[in-house]
Amino acid sequence: MEKKLAEYKCDTNEAICLKLGSEVAFGYKGLQIQLFYTAGNLSTLFKVKYSSKVNDTFDCVEADNVEGKIREIIPAGFTCNSDDFVSLLEKEANFKPFGTMLHSYTVHNEEGEQLTYQIHKAEISCPGFQEYHERLQTFLMWFIETASFLEVDDDRWDFFLVFEKYNKDGETLYATVGYMTVYNYYVYPDKTRPRVSQMLILPPFQGEGHGAQLLEAVHRFYCGLPKVQDITAEDPSENYVKLRDYVLTKLCQNLPSFDADKLHLGFSADMIKEAQEKLKINKKHARRVYEILRLRATDMSDEEKARAYRLEVKKRLFGPYRKNQRELAKMRKCLRPEELVSHMGQLDTQAQQEELEKSYQLALEDYRRVLERLASQA
């Protein structure tokens, strides 16, 4: 389905207008599915429009139940009446962000205006929040493939919300920008491990740094909780990993154990300990941060220093290939020759070397992108 956020905070009605019009649906001509959300409370207007529709009486076929499919996604409480929706728009001034504000920051837009944003932490017990969250998570279905709704009737869920704070006609209003959900897993004997489950910045706000602001605010929140072991993510996307690399490197670059003069000595136990104790970063993520910061501290035009860095990174990347070699050694002992031959192609040394070099170059590309972003923010 082609999913586009056609309008946000329209000049006439302060609403999100979401048009879904390219899904293959049988039985309609000129089909348009429109969802309008108020910018703050996300009150919803749902409309289905079409110029003609097949009829089972005259055409002997039945059109797809498009409206029914959408109704399965959007929660109860939406309206199909434009006048009713306008009355909901007029109540937007009464909407206030849920929960406790953790962080506030400003961004300058292309016109040079200073825009103010707030990050709040909310719990499902906040009055009205559960209904708001049901409307909020519908955006996952419009913008993220394979997304699914959460079962949030569990007090171990934490919710972090980003809002734009702005003035209109002398009133202070708030617009929903994005959010993150985190589940607090138990770690024996008395710790918890917050795991990021979902994260979404709405398309009109993407590319403005809100994801980094949100992830950093969440990390800083959990860093202040002694019971937290470390922070992880559930099945992170490639874009999330890149965002996390940037945020964690930004946080770690001022830690004493990550000083430039210590980076060339290799990844150390002090780095692991300090990253975990002060920033709730686990060993695996701390290692990536070390490689990024060591790249910044390495003169890659110096052949000897570049080679030392390359070997250091490849030593980590070689882990899966080393595992393959151990498996091959076991196979030699227990497989018949004809069976062993069928597995040799998967473990070809030359192919492994080529894959290792490819993985190194991709890592280098990602690391340089992080360093460029850090330099631009300095």
Side-chain angles (χ1 to χ4, degrees), residues 36-49:
F36 294 79
Y37 294 79
T38 59
N41 195 47
L42 303 181
S43 301
T44 311
L45 170 65
F46 172 41
K47 286 187 173 185
V48 175
K49 296 181 178 182

Side-chain angles (χ1 to χ4, degrees), residues 43-84:
S43 301
T44 311
L45 170 65
F46 172 41
K47 286 187 173 185
V48 175
K49 296 181 178 182
Y50 50 86
S51 57
S52 61
K53 176 182 176 181
V54 298
N55 187 292
D56 59 352
T57 301
F58 296 101
D59 301 302
C60 301
V61 291
E62 185 176 353
D64 291 340
N65 185 11
V66 174
E67 184 172 341
K69 292 294 184 181
I70 300 297
R71 285 174 179 266
E72 291 176 3
I73 298 175
I74 57 177
F78 64 87
T79 181
C80 297
N81 184 285
S82 297
D83 291 336
D84 291 342

Side-chain angles (χ1 to χ4, degrees), residues 96-338:
K96 296 295 183 289
F98 296 94
T100 304
M101 187 176 75
L102 300 179
H103 178 54
S104 179
Y105 60 98
T106 59
V107 173
H108 287 86
N109 63 14
E110 295 178 354
E111 290 74 33
E113 298 175 307
Q114 182 171 285
L115 307 177
T116 301
Y117 298 88
Q118 296 179 354
I119 297 176
H120 288 240
K121 178 184 179 294
E123 298 177 352
I124 203 66
S125 59
C126 292
F129 177 71
Q130 183 166 354
E131 294 77 12
Y132 168 84
H133 177 260
E134 288 176 356
R135 297 188 293 273
L136 175 61
Q137 68 176 347
T138 60
F139 285 105
L140 295 174
M141 298 301 177
W142 316 141
F143 299 117
I144 299 180
E145 300 294 339
T146 71
S148 60
F149 289 158
L150 298 179
E151 295 293 336
V152 295
D153 54 346
D154 188 328
D155 60 8
R156 285 181 288 184
W157 282 107
D158 288 333
F159 303 87
F160 300 89
L161 311 163
V162 186
F163 297 96
E164 179 189 353
K165 180 181 179 182
Y166 63 100
N167 295 311
K168 183 177 177 61
D169 299 330
E171 294 182 307
T172 299
L173 301 174
Y174 294 88
T176 301
V177 173
Y179 78 113
M180 176 189 289
T181 57
V182 180
Y183 191 80
N184 293 281
Y185 282 89
Y186 168 72
V187 177
Y188 180 84
D190 61 350
K191 298 286 187 178
T192 61
R193 173 170 286 124
R195 179 181 293 178
V196 177
S197 175
Q198 298 170 330
M199 181 179 180
L200 175 66
I201 301 298
L202 294 178
F205 300 98
Q206 291 176 6
E208 298 177 354
H210 301 295
Q213 290 280 357
L214 176 56
L215 185 56
E216 183 174 346
V218 169
H219 260 273
R220 292 191 182 280
F221 169 77
Y222 287 119
C223 286
L225 303 180
K227 292 287 187 179
V228 171
Q229 177 81 15
D230 52 35
I231 305 165
T232 63
E234 179 183 349
D235 192 21
S237 67
E238 183 178 341
N239 287 336
Y240 180 85
V241 171
K242 292 177 181 179
L243 176 65
R244 182 175 62 194
D245 282 344
Y246 165 72
V247 171
L248 298 190
T249 303
K250 179 183 177 183
L251 293 173
C252 284
Q253 63 182 346
N254 295 319
L255 294 179
S257 61
F258 287 87
D259 283 346
D261 58 346
K262 297 179 181 178
L263 294 170
H264 296 290
L265 302 177
F267 187 51
S268 67
D270 287 342
M271 293 175 183
I272 298 171
K273 181 179 179 181
E274 190 171 25
Q276 195 279 324
E277 291 181 351
K278 293 184 178 180
L279 297 174
K280 311 299 183 182
I281 299 173
N282 62 33
K283 179 180 177 180
K284 178 181 177 181
H285 299 160
R287 170 74 195 207
R288 285 181 65 89
V289 168
Y290 152 74
E291 291 175 4
I292 294 169
L293 291 176
R294 178 163 174 176
L295 175 61
R296 184 170 68 179
T298 300
D299 179 4
M300 296 298 282
S301 64
D302 185 308
E303 186 174 335
E304 184 176 342
K305 293 179 180 178
R307 180 176 181 276
Y309 177 79
R310 183 172 64 253
L311 292 176
E312 181 71 3
V313 175
K314 285 188 174 183
K315 182 170 64 176
R316 173 183 64 82
L317 295 174
F318 190 67
Y321 302 103
R322 186 181 295 112
K323 179 181 178 181
N324 284 344
Q325 289 181 335
R326 290 196 297 268
E327 291 176 350
L328 177 59
K330 293 178 183 178
M331 289 178 188
R332 291 183 187 279
K333 296 179 181 178
C334 62
L335 293 181
R336 295 191 300 272
E338 61 272 19

Side-chain angles (χ1 to χ4, degrees), residues 78-95:
F78 64 87
T79 181
C80 297
N81 184 285
S82 297
D83 291 336
D84 291 342
F85 186 66
V86 170
S87 68
L88 293 172
L89 286 169
E90 294 170 352
K91 298 178 182 179
E92 278 289 279
N94 299 325
F95 174 77

